[in-house]
Amino acid sequence: MKRWIGVILAAVLAGVAVVAILLGNRADEAPETLVVRGVIGSEKKPFFDDPRVKAAFAKHGLRVEVDTAGSRQIVTDVDLSRYAFAFPSSVPAAERIKRDRKAVTTYSPFYSPMAVATFEPITKLLAGAGVVRDSGKGYQILDIRKYLDLIGKGTRWDQLPGNSAYQARKRVLLTTTDIRTSNSAAMYLSAIGYVANGEDVPTSDAQIAKIAPMIAPAVLDQGFSESTSEASFDDYLALGAGKTPLLVVYEAQYLAHVFAGDGAIKPEMRLIYPSPTVLSKHTLVPLTQPGDRVGQLLTKDAELQGLAAAYGFRTTDPQAFAGLVAKTGAPAAAELVDVVEPPTYERLDQLITTIDSARP
């Protein structure tokens, strides 16, 4: 009996040893997970937090962790030595980081035009005032020049003709984030600055000095502004037209909820496009080799590109975005023609600083 027990124990031990060897081999074969930290604009955090995105990176041996900051803060205030990549929401900010950090390249895996989130009664009021019109292509347009005329006159909502739907006594103003910290506000400033400058990108000190007083009320008369686009959009969704009748957003913020069908976009909510508008090209600056790997994957990996489209971003594969628009009936412009370039980072910063110096 003792002899048989010994034989059985020896067999069990041999089996355990074989299993351990096999598991060890598999562990050796599995890619080692590398933690890669980045700092991003806040509007991209839901994308990076998505378990599907995390799993897609994990397939390539990466665990991508992100902190958020306003895109302009990433340039001016964030200690980038702590990160493998910086991912602001515009080319001017990214190019400044690239130059300052002596980076070799950048990646622009997706983009989003600037848009306006509003409500049906508001669009009707502004259409009656000649500020909003139909594009004839399934979406509505907010005319920036006519909007600036309203600002110049100091027009209030209760002064609009035929207004029985929104008799607020406050000024007719687009709500933005803080121009000092946030890219979405800076892109809005780029669009209205272009119009105020005779429909031309401001490139000189004289032009900045001329247009800053003209467009300052569009920013300064808003009062308090959120520092990130994510916070201001949350207010739009939760608090409605009483708080935010017109909000400058990234198109992707609105469409992400439409594509998800999560009920956040209510029937009376509307997405309209300013004319002209600006494309916010989300541009990643690699600061280390692993950061470069993240940029490559976001740009070339089909799974990550598809997930970016699901979050409302327009990617290098236009069919992914178009397919979601067709499937959901999303109110997205198939193509935007009246698109202008933002000024260089230095000129935009000069415009922001000039306007900010006029605060009471």
Side-chain angles (χ1 to χ4, degrees):
M1 178 63 70
K2 290 181 179 179
R3 179 171 174 270
W4 281 109
I5 291 174
V7 170
I8 291 170
L9 287 173
V12 170
L13 290 172
V16 170
V18 170
V19 170
I21 291 170
L22 290 174
L23 290 175
N25 287 341
R26 287 184 182 178
D28 290 341
E29 292 170 2
E32 184 180 350
T33 300
L34 177 66
V35 177
V36 186
R37 294 195 61 80
V39 58
I40 64 172
S42 63
E43 69 290 331
K44 293 184 284 291
K45 193 170 191 302
F47 169 77
F48 279 96
D49 284 347
D50 191 313
R52 297 170 297 173
V53 172
K54 292 180 179 295
F57 279 121
K59 291 177 184 178
H60 299 276
L62 302 180
R63 187 168 87 238
V64 179
E65 299 179 351
V66 295
D67 295 326
T68 61
S71 291
R72 289 180 53 75
Q73 284 180 307
I74 296 175
V75 178
T76 58
D77 299 336
V78 173
D79 178 8
L80 293 179
S81 65
R82 301 169 49 214
Y83 297 102
F85 66 89
F87 200 178
S89 304
S90 73
V91 172
E95 287 298 323
R96 176 62 182 266
I97 295 168
K98 179 185 176 184
R99 186 169 69 248
D100 290 350
R101 301 290 300 184
K102 297 181 173 55
V104 176
T105 189
T106 61
Y107 296 94
S108 295
F110 38 75
Y111 68 96
S112 185
M114 302 311 302
V116 175
T118 184
F119 301 85
E120 175 66 15
I122 302 299
T123 61
K124 287 182 177 180
L125 278 175
L126 293 178
V131 178
V132 168
R133 68 179 188 274
D134 191 79
S135 68
K137 298 179 180 179
Y139 60 93
Q140 291 179 298
I141 290 172
L142 185 144
D143 189 310
I144 290 294
R145 177 165 293 285
K146 292 181 179 179
Y147 164 69
L148 289 178
D149 288 342
L150 285 184
I151 292 177
K153 297 173 184 175
T155 306
R156 300 181 183 275
W157 286 104
D158 60 357
Q159 295 173 329
L160 292 176
N163 181 1
S164 60
Y166 189 72
Q167 295 183 326
R169 289 183 289 178
K170 59 185 178 182
R171 297 272 299 276
V172 178
L173 289 170
L174 286 163
T175 298
T176 72
T177 46
D178 194 324
I179 59 169
R180 296 167 294 187
T181 60
S182 175
N183 178 71
S184 60
M187 293 299 98
Y188 164 70
L189 204 60
S190 298
I192 64 175
Y194 177 91
V195 173
N197 194 45
E199 301 195 346
D200 201 5
V201 178
T203 58
S204 70
D205 292 348
Q207 290 172 332
I208 297 294
K210 179 182 177 181
I211 67 174
M214 297 166 59
I215 62 178
V219 174
L220 301 183
D221 290 355
Q222 292 180 48
F224 171 78
S225 297
E226 295 284 356
S227 61
T228 68
S229 56
E230 187 178 31
S232 60
F233 191 63
D234 285 345
D235 278 354
Y236 166 80
L237 294 176
L239 303 178
K243 169 76 163 54
T244 314
L246 292 163
L247 176 66
V248 176
V249 298
Y250 298 106
E251 176 197 57
Q253 290 178 284
Y254 191 102
L255 293 183
H257 291 288
V258 177
F259 292 164
D262 58 13
I265 302 300
K266 305 299 189 295
E268 71 276 9
M269 292 177 173
R270 294 290 182 270
L271 183 71
I272 63 178
Y273 293 87
S275 179
T277 190
V278 178
L279 297 183
S280 179
K281 297 178 183 176
H282 297 263
T283 304
L284 186 147
V285 185
L287 305 174
T288 67
Q289 194 282 326
D292 188 80
R293 183 68 175 140
V294 172
Q296 290 181 32
L297 289 171
L298 286 171
T299 306
K300 298 177 181 178
D301 184 85
E303 184 178 7
L304 286 168
Q305 284 272 294
L307 289 168
Y311 275 90
F313 295 109
R314 301 184 186 227
T315 70
T316 54
D317 176 14
Q319 292 306 313
F321 180 86
L324 288 167
V325 170
K327 179 181 178 181
T328 60
E335 59 177 348
L336 293 164
V337 177
D338 194 7
V339 177
V340 300
E341 292 294 329
T344 64
Y345 180 87
E346 287 73 20
R347 287 301 179 194
L348 187 54
D349 185 66
Q350 183 183 7
L351 180 58
I352 290 169
T353 301
T354 304
I355 290 174
D356 190 51
S357 67
R359 288 181 189 272

